[in-house]
Every structure is written in structure tokens, then in C-alpha cells.
């Protein structure tokens, strides 16, 4: 029990979670358990072989595949997927892949109410959140609704061993960012904080092993467990400045999602540090580091991640647009951001300088 918490709200989300190597063999049983018989299997184009493998566990005529999922859930892709749902008379969706495949599955569920069974293959965490971001007419809009929360999540570590080391590291830091912001969320609670600290510690210990030995099932298992916990934090409490900045940078400059998170999280932790000392203590403890932001920065360095926004394609003059959009709407964060200090932080991040508390 967190003895600092005297009053809080904790609202767990309904989901059935199966965890373990080889668990994808349970997919057909889970479809039957939901009372369904005609799944549509969705993946990103690169993962179509997994769609074939899962489809082979059903009678050929009862399954169909849609392997066109794309980052940021473009609406025109959803329209084609809905057409595939209608043509195949699907009664449930099976998604295998990262946040992009799961995003498409959620977009289908939002329009059709079909139940979802999802098998995550990255550490992004979307599988356990009631959140969906969709891109229409060049604008990405995010909403929270239980309609998109997957009914069943199958964590099969064997599906993650092919995730390249650089993407594994970026995706793992993306998950850690959920835990960092959960620890200072205004609607946080002791249970979510326990998950955040445990999830962060699991990922921080496993990611260096994964970068050294990407085929290590043991390291992958620990990372996937951590990603589940961190994703649960994302689904349970409000995210702050870091998620707002990454949403803006991704949307404004088409930056890669996980890598943007990986670069920004140490900078935002330093920015928020003085306003959230208890969270910083827990982050430092989870990372076994002297302080939270250096620990996050050192972890990213140890994983050979790009450390500057410049390196992942943000234009140098993009800072003004980013500041304008980040300060446009109110959202919860332990420190109220202002244009001057945001500019200092974003300039440091663009240049790849170490994170600093900006005063
Ligand atoms: P992704 O799903 O786009 O995958 C990134 C790349 O990795 C793709 O090329 C994919 O084919 C490949 N890949 C995935 N798993 C692989 C594996 N096991 N082996 C080899 N290659 C693999 O990336 P992501 O970071 O998982 O997801 C990003 C998207 O998810 C964004 O659109 C983001 O907004 C969304 N997201 C949503 C939530 C939410 O709660 N709604 C949470 C996190 C992310």
C-alpha cells in the first residue's frame, strides 16, 4: 500500500489476458468462447504471414484477412477494412501486430461493435487501453471509449522475437513513457503506481538484453510483461505533457511514434521534476539511477537510440508550430507549460543535448 495515498479512485478495465510462449494456439478457442465463428484477421502488410498462420487454425471458408493496417489509423484504410468486414460477414476481429494493427482493429470495433482478440507484437500498449486515435483529413483525433477496448489480449512472446533491436528499444521506451506519466497523473492511484514502477523496472532490465540478444525469450518475456503493465497505466489514468508533445510532433511532422517518445521522455521528466518529486523518486528507483531524467537518458543511450529530434526528421523551424499546438488546449500536467521554457526544452531535444530541469 502506498502510504502517501489517502483518497483515490481506482477503476480497473474489463479484459481477459492470456500470457505465455505459444499462446497464439489459443486463438481459435477464444473466438469460440466469445460465441463467434467468422473472424477477420488484421495485420500490417509486413505481418501478413502471421495472418496466414492464424487463419490456418480455422476452416478456410470461415476466415478472411485484411493486411493493410498503417500507422496513425488513416480513415481511408478503415473504410476498406469495413468493406472487408461486410463482404466476409465477420463476427469478430483478430489483430496481430503493433499499435497500427491494433488501431485498425479498434477503428473497426468503434464502427461495428465487433469483439476483438488482439495479439500485440510490440511494446506500445494499445491492446489494454480504451483509447483510439484516427487520422482524417490530415488531422489525428483521439478519443476514449470502452467500445474500442479489446475483449481478449493474448501475449505470446514468440511473436515479439522478430521485432528488430532498434524498434524494440524505441517501443520499450514508449511503454516506459506511459509509466512515467502515470506516476505523476492527477488522477493516479496507488495500484496504477505499483504497476508503473514494476513495468518500468521490468523493461529497463530487459531492453539492454534484447538489444544484445534479440532472440532471447526470457528477456522478451520480461519486456512483454513490463509493456502490459505500462499499457495498463496508459489505459487507466490521464497522460500529461509528454504524450501531448509526442502527439503534436508526430502529427505535425510525421515523426515515427515510438522513436519520438524515446527521445522526449527524459526531457519531459526533467521539465516536470520539481513539480513531481515523489514520482521522480519512484522512477529513479525503478531505473536504479541517481535521478529520473538521467536514468531515462542513460537507458536510451545504452540502447543506441537516436537522441535528437533532428535525427528522426523534425525540421529545425518546427519548434514554433509545436509550441503553439502544445499550449493550445488545457490538459493535466504537474507543471503548467509556457512558451519560453517549452522552447528551451524542445531546442535541447532537437539538438540531442542531455535533458535538464528548465527554470
Ligand atoms: P507499428 O504497429 O506501426 O509497428 C512498427 C513497425 O514494426 C511496423 O513496420 C511493423 O510492421 C513492425 N513490427 C511490429 N511488430 C513486429 C515484430 N514482432 N517483428 C517485426 N516487425 C514488427 O508501431 P507501434 O509503435 O507498435 O504502434 C504505433 C501506433 O500505435 C501509432 O499509430 C500510435 O498512435 C498507436 N498507439 C495507440 C495507443 C492507444 O492506446 N490507442 C497506444 C500506443 C500506440
Amino acid at each position: 500500500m502506498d502510504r502517501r495515498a489517502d483518497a483515490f479512485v481506482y477503476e480497473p478495465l474489463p479484459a481477459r489476458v492470456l500470457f505465455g510462449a505459444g499462446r497464439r494456439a489459443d486463438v481459435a478457442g477464444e473466438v469460440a468462447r466469445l460465441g463467434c465463428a467468422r473472424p477477420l484477421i488484421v495485420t500490417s502488410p509486413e505481418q501478413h504471414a502471421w495472418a496466414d498462420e492464424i487463419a490456418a487454425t480455422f476452416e478456410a471458408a470461415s476466415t478472411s484477412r485484411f493486411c493493410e493496417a498503417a500507422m496513425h489509423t488513416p480513415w481511408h484504410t478503415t473504410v476498406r477494412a469495413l468493406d472487408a468486414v461486410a463482404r466476409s460477414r465477420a463476427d469478430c476481429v483478430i489483430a496481430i501486430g503493433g499499435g497500427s494493427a491494433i488501431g485498425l482493429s479498434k477503428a473497426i470495433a468503434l464502427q461495428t461493435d465487433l469483439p476483438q482478440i488482439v495479439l500485440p507484437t510490440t511494446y506500445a500498449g494499445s491492446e489494454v487501453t480504451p483509447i483510439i486515435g484516427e487520422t482524417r483529413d490530415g488531422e489525428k483525433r483521439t478519443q476514449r471509449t470502452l467500445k474500442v477496448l479489446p475483449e481478449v489480449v493474448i501475449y505470446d512472446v514468440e511473436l515479439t522475437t522478430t521485432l528488430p533491436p532498434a524498434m524494440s528499444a524505441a517501443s520499450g521506451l514508449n511503454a516506459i513513457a506511459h509509466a512515467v506519466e502515470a506516476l505523476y497523473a492527477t488522477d493516479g492511484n496507488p495500484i496504477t503506481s505499483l504497476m508503473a514502477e514494476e513495468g518500468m523496472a521490468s523493461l529497463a532490465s530487459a531492453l539492454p538484453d534484447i538489444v544484445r540478444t534479440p532472440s532471447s525469450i526470457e528477456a522478451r518475456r520480461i519486456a512483454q510483461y513490463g509493456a502490459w503493465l505500462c499499457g495498463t497505466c496508459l489505459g487507466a489514468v490521464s497522460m500529461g505533457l509528454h504524450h501531448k508533445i509526442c502527439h503534436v510532433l508526430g502529427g505535425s511532422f510525421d515523426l515515427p511514434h515510438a522513436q519520438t517518445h524515446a527521445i522526449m521522455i527524459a526531457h519531459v521528466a526533467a521539465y516536470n521534476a520539481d513539480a513531481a518529486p515523489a514520482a521522480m523518486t519512484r522512477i529513479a528507483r525503478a531505473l536504479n539511477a541517481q535521478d529520473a531524467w538521467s536514468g531515462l537518458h542513460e537507458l536510451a543511450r545504452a540502447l543506441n537510440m537516436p537522441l535528437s529530434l533532428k535525427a528522426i526528421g523534425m525540421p529545425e523551424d518546427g519548434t514554433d508550430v509545436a509550441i503553439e499546438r502544445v499550449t493550445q488546449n488545457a490538459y493535466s500536467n504537474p507543471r503548467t507549460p509556457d512558451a519560453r521554457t517549452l522552447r528551451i526544452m524542445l531546442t535541447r531535444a532537437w539538438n540531442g543535448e542531455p535533458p535538464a530541469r528548465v527554470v
Side-chain angles (χ1 to χ4, degrees):
M1 171 83 188
D2 184 336
R3 289 173 187 81
R4 284 182 302 269
D6 52 2
F8 57 86
V9 174
Y10 174 59
E11 194 177 348
L13 296 170
R16 176 173 159 87
V17 175
L18 285 71
F19 194 97
R23 274 286 190 181
R24 62 192 182 285
D26 290 314
V27 168
E30 291 299 315
V31 167
R33 196 174 172 279
L34 288 170
C36 299
R38 300 184 62 80
L40 175 75
I41 306 171
V42 304
T43 69
S44 293
E46 300 87 345
Q47 273 82 53
H48 67 89
W50 282 330
D52 296 344
E53 185 190 318
I54 296 293
T57 63
F58 293 87
E59 274 182 32
S62 65
T63 57
S64 20
R65 278 153 268 191
F66 184 85
C67 302
E68 297 174 33
M71 185 97 63
H72 305 308
T73 327
W75 176 245
H76 60 86
T77 306
T78 303
V79 169
R80 282 205 302 278
L82 289 170
D83 186 44
V85 169
R87 273 187 285 110
S88 63
R89 290 178 290 114
D91 58 7
C92 65
V93 184
I94 299 171
I96 314 164
S100 297
I102 296 169
L104 177 60
S105 169
K106 287 175 162 183
I108 295 171
L110 185 63
Q111 301 299 327
T112 61
D113 268 334
L114 290 183
Q116 308 168 69
I117 297 173
V118 302
L119 296 91
T121 64
T122 68
Y123 305 128
S126 179
E127 65 279 1
V128 281
T129 80
I131 305 168
I132 175 164
E134 293 179 288
T135 309
R136 235 198 250 216
D137 302 327
E139 195 185 343
K140 186 165 176 180
R141 290 220 177 126
T142 300
Q143 58 173 307
R144 270 183 186 259
T145 163
L146 280 176
K147 276 179 96 166
V148 303
L149 182 73
E151 279 71 6
V152 181
V153 183
I154 300 182
Y155 287 104
D156 183 341
V157 65
E158 290 171 4
L159 296 175
T160 63
T161 53
T162 48
L163 191 64
M167 184 60 202
S168 301
S171 191
L173 283 161
N174 181 189
I176 285 176
H178 308 329
V180 167
E181 296 231 291
L183 282 168
Y184 53 60
T186 44
D187 53 357
N189 62 74
I191 310 303
T192 306
S193 294
L194 281 177
M195 289 192 270
E197 202 173 329
E198 168 81 356
M200 200 181 311
S202 301
L203 279 158
S205 77
L207 291 175
D209 293 340
I210 288 172
V211 168
R212 269 190 301 274
T213 316
S215 60
S216 166
I217 287 284
E218 180 55 9
R220 293 283 188 181
R221 184 186 64 75
I222 295 167
Q224 199 174 36
Y225 168 67
W228 168 25
L229 295 176
C230 293
T232 303
C233 294
L234 171 69
V237 298
S238 309
M239 295 289 112
L241 176 64
H242 169 80
H243 281 73
K244 176 73 181 180
I245 288 180
C246 292
H247 183 84
V248 164
L249 294 181
S252 307
F253 311 113
D254 200 24
L255 302 188
H257 175 85
Q259 288 81 350
T260 309
H261 276 268
I263 292 164
M264 284 312 304
I265 190 56
H267 289 277
V268 180
Y271 187 89
N272 279 336
D274 290 342
M280 296 301 138
T281 303
R282 294 187 78 154
I283 297 164
R285 188 164 67 199
L287 300 176
N288 201 13
Q290 207 165 5
D291 61 64
W293 57 98
S294 321
L296 291 164
H297 183 65
E298 283 313 313
L299 179 60
R301 274 168 62 95
L303 298 174
N304 306 319
M305 295 302 304
L307 296 174
S308 69
L309 294 173
K310 173 169 57 175
I312 60 165
M314 178 171 159
E316 187 166 12
D317 61 0
T319 314
D320 287 335
V321 177
I323 292 169
E324 194 194 316
R325 293 184 181 168
V326 167
T327 49
Q328 230 161 33
N329 308 316
Y331 47 90
S332 68
N333 190 60
R335 172 180 181 180
T336 307
D338 62 82
R340 183 188 65 81
T341 52
L342 279 176
R343 183 179 306 285
I344 296 171
M345 175 179 61
L346 284 168
T347 305
R348 292 186 74 88
W350 191 84
N351 284 315
E353 293 167 48
R357 287 150 116 157
V358 181
V359 286

